């Protein structure tokens, strides 16, 4: 009799919990897929670097300017994008972004001049700006603070998966369909992503919110009532050091993403097809790095470590290890050793990435999570915009010597580690 009385109640709660878990992890999985397509679009120019440079008659500095054309408008557009995601929600903004960046990618296939190409890359940067802030907002709505690091890191593996498969996949498309066909195919994938997202995404119900937030529910409601102006975030020291720290880390990441295939071809003597496969190795290591960073942060929180400290340990440790691996590449003559160091460096540079986004959700008010994440990403992509241009200028000035390229990258990784490690604090401490 006792068993029949208790059975109806337990399955109801368990079923609700299981349904919530299925929905939210399904959304994370789809965001990973969205991240793959998003970064394939970004990677097209890097893979076609030498081919397009030859067709358009571009030197290293001009190619650096073209490679940076995506990043600086992306950085600036992140500022309003974060606000718009907070205002309109991730469903509308992600679908809009995916549709827009896909159309731009397909239009780029018609480029017939440097100016056309440059304008298309600027438009691509603006169109893609809401993606990661939308993903962060989804994460904030579907996961509580203790659970947040792993799903945010998993979403960021989408970019790493794309970086790993882009060199061989896009090189294959380039060789079989020309660079124009490559742009069209990758753009078409994004249209599919946008349509499916509109079909599948929904915010959690009130009952699901209670299951997700648990004891945090009351705090979340209180935080959502607090209406603080978006510009107020710039009055906090955390915001500025998160911008500087992200700049230092993203700079070197984007040296990899924009110049690695060219480095392997021009400095190490590999063919276009061979460099496509070799360039995938560091990016494969990057997938492991992102997941490891999220796992480590989650483990630290589970063991009782302060949440902000649990984010900072992978961020600082990863940046320091990356610097230790990247700096010696400047002086290594052995090609296998250089590739090992580059792989270790990229692995370590990706350990902080998911934790950077999670840190924004830990130190920002609930209604400004996407805004602070976008502001931090703005700083990162200023670094991403500067990296290709500075690299191109160094190569032009030195006749193609990469020594100073790796030295600058290593030093900026140290700047990133120091910014997060010494100056980013708990919100109350930072405001004091």
């Amino acid at each position: 009799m006792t068993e029949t009385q208790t059975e109806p109640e337990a399955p109801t709660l368990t079923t609700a919990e299981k349904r919530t878990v299925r929905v939210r992890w399904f959304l994370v999985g789809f965001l990973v897929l969205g991240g793959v397509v998003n970064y394939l679009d970004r990677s097209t120019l890097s893979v076609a670097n030498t081919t397009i440079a030859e067709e358009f008659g571009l030197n290293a500095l001009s190619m650096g300017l073209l490679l940076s054309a995506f990043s600086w408008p992306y950085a600036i557009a992140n500022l309003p994008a974060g606000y718009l995601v907070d205002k309109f929600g991730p469903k509308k903004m992600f679908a809009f972004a995916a549709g827009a960046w896909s159309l731009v990618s397909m239009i780029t296939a018609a480029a017939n001049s440097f100016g056309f190409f440059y304008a298309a890359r600027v438009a691509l940067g603006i169109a893609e700006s809401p993606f990661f802030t939308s993903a962060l907002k989804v994460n904030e709505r579907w996961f509580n603070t203790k659970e947040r690091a792993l799903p945010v890191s998993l979403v960021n593996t989408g970019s790493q998966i794309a970086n790993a498969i882009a060199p061989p996949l896009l090189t294959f498309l380039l060789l079989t369909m020309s660079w124009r066909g490559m742009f069209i195919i990758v753009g078409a994938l994004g249209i599919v992503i946008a349509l499916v997202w509109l079909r599948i995404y929904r915010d959690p119900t009130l009952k699901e919110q209670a299951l997700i937030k648990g004891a945090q529910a009351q705090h979340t409601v209180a935080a959502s009532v607090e209406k603080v102006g978006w510009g107020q975030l710039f009055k906090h020291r955390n915001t500025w050091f998160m911008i500087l720290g992200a700049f230092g880390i993203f700079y070197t990441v984007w040296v990899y993403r924009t110049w690695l295939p060219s480095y392997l071809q021009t400095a190490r003597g590999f063919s276009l097809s061979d460099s496509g496969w070799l360039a995938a190795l560091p990016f494969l290591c990057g997938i492991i790095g992102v997941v490891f960073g999220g796992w480590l942060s989650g483990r630290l929180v589970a063991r009782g470590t302060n949440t902000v400290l649990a984010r900072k340990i992978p961020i600082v440790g990863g940046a320091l290890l990356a610097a230790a691996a990247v700096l010696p590449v400047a002086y290594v003559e052995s090609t296998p050793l250089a590739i090992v160091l580059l792989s270790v460096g990229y692995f370590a540079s990706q350990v902080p990435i998911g934790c950077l986004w999670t840190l924004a959700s830990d130190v920002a008010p609930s209604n400004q999570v996407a805004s602070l994440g976008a502001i931090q990403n703005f700083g990162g992509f200023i670094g991403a915009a500067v990296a290709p241009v500075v690299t191109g200028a160094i190569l032009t000035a030195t006749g193609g010597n990469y020594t100073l390229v790796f030295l600058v990258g290593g030093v900026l990784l140290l700047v990133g580690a120091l910014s997060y490690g010494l100056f980013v604090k708990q919100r109350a401490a930072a405001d004091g």
Side-chain angles (χ1 to χ4, degrees):
M1 193 70 176
T2 306
E3 290 181 0
T4 55
Q5 288 176 343
T6 55
E7 276 181 5
E9 200 173 349
T12 303
L13 184 60
T14 303
T15 301
E17 289 175 331
K18 286 182 177 179
R19 183 174 62 249
T20 301
V21 168
R22 281 199 304 271
V23 171
R24 64 185 187 169
W25 285 108
F26 175 74
L27 293 173
V28 168
F30 191 82
L31 286 169
V32 172
L33 181 61
V36 171
V37 176
N38 178 280
Y39 263 76
L40 284 176
D41 270 283
R42 301 185 194 191
S43 301
T44 46
L45 182 59
S46 299
V47 170
N49 184 331
T50 53
T51 302
I52 291 173
E54 183 178 351
E55 180 173 330
F56 287 82
L58 304 177
N59 62 22
L61 180 57
S62 297
M63 199 64 208
L65 289 169
L66 191 56
L67 287 165
S68 73
F70 167 90
S71 297
W72 67 260
Y74 179 87
I76 295 169
N78 258 270
L79 299 176
Y83 168 78
L84 292 171
V85 170
D86 278 329
K87 184 176 178 63
F88 296 110
K91 181 172 185 172
K92 292 179 181 178
M93 290 306 299
F94 175 43
F96 168 78
W101 87 55
S102 301
L103 289 174
V104 170
S105 181
M106 290 188 284
I107 291 170
T108 305
N112 58 5
S113 67
F114 176 86
F116 189 133
F117 223 126
Y118 194 91
R121 295 298 289 184
V122 168
L124 184 69
I126 296 169
E128 289 198 4
S129 61
F131 172 67
F132 279 104
T133 47
S134 296
L136 183 63
K137 197 68 176 179
V138 171
N139 182 272
E140 190 268 337
R141 289 181 174 176
W142 282 94
F143 293 87
N144 65 46
T145 301
K146 291 184 178 180
E147 300 170 317
R148 209 166 277 163
L150 182 58
V152 170
S153 295
L154 287 174
V155 170
N156 277 274
T157 63
S159 61
Q160 306 315 311
I161 293 169
N163 288 327
I165 66 174
L169 174 61
L170 296 182
T171 299
F172 171 77
L173 293 176
L174 173 65
L175 292 172
T176 56
M177 303 182 65
S178 82
W179 67 265
R180 299 181 191 274
M182 174 183 67
F183 274 84
I184 292 172
I185 293 296
V186 175
L189 291 175
I191 299 293
V192 176
I193 291 293
L195 294 174
V196 174
W197 180 255
L198 284 172
R199 176 70 177 170
I200 66 169
Y201 182 76
R202 65 174 177 82
D203 286 331
T205 64
L206 291 175
K207 185 176 181 180
E208 287 171 329
Q209 288 179 35
L211 289 170
I212 292 164
K213 304 296 182 182
Q216 289 187 318
Q218 200 66 33
H219 166 75
T220 302
V221 171
S224 64
V225 174
E226 181 190 4
K227 298 296 181 183
V228 182
W230 177 84
Q232 293 292 317
L233 289 169
F234 287 99
K235 295 183 179 181
H236 300 293
R237 185 177 66 172
N238 274 349
T239 302
W240 292 103
F241 281 104
M242 289 169 75
I243 290 172
L244 179 60
F247 177 97
I249 293 171
F250 278 48
Y251 177 96
T252 305
V253 168
W254 276 78
V255 171
Y256 274 91
R257 291 179 180 175
T258 53
W259 283 100
L260 181 59
S262 178
Y263 166 74
L264 292 172
Q265 292 167 42
T266 60
R268 295 293 174 176
F270 290 101
S271 66
L272 176 62
S273 58
D274 288 341
S275 67
W277 289 104
L278 282 171
L281 293 177
F283 297 131
L284 286 169
C285 294
I287 298 172
I288 302 170
V290 173
V291 176
F292 176 75
W295 171 85
L296 177 59
S297 180
R299 288 289 297 169
L300 291 170
V301 171
R303 292 185 177 185
T305 304
N306 172 278
T307 304
V308 171
L309 180 60
R311 312 307 183 207
K312 287 169 61 173
I313 289 173
I315 293 171
V316 176
L320 290 174
L321 177 58
V326 167
L327 286 168
V329 175
Y331 304 102
V332 166
E333 294 186 6
S334 166
T335 295
L337 179 57
I339 292 173
V340 169
L341 288 172
L342 288 169
S343 298
V344 172
Y346 197 76
F347 160 83
S349 73
Q350 294 307 298
V351 170
I353 298 301
C355 298
L356 295 181
W357 285 98
T358 313
L359 181 64
S361 67
D362 293 327
V363 302
S366 180
N367 63 317
Q368 291 185 315
V369 165
S371 295
L372 183 57
I375 290 169
Q376 178 179 236
N377 208 34
F378 159 78
F381 273 86
I382 291 296
V386 170
V389 179
V390 171
T391 300
I394 290 171
L395 295 177
T396 300
T398 61
N401 189 306
Y402 277 82
T403 299
L404 189 56
V405 172
F406 292 114
L407 291 178
V408 171
V411 168
L412 286 175
L413 284 165
L414 295 175
V415 170
L418 291 173
S419 296
Y420 282 105
L422 298 181
F423 299 107
V424 176
K425 309 288 185 182
Q426 292 276 17
R427 200 188 320 165
D431 294 345

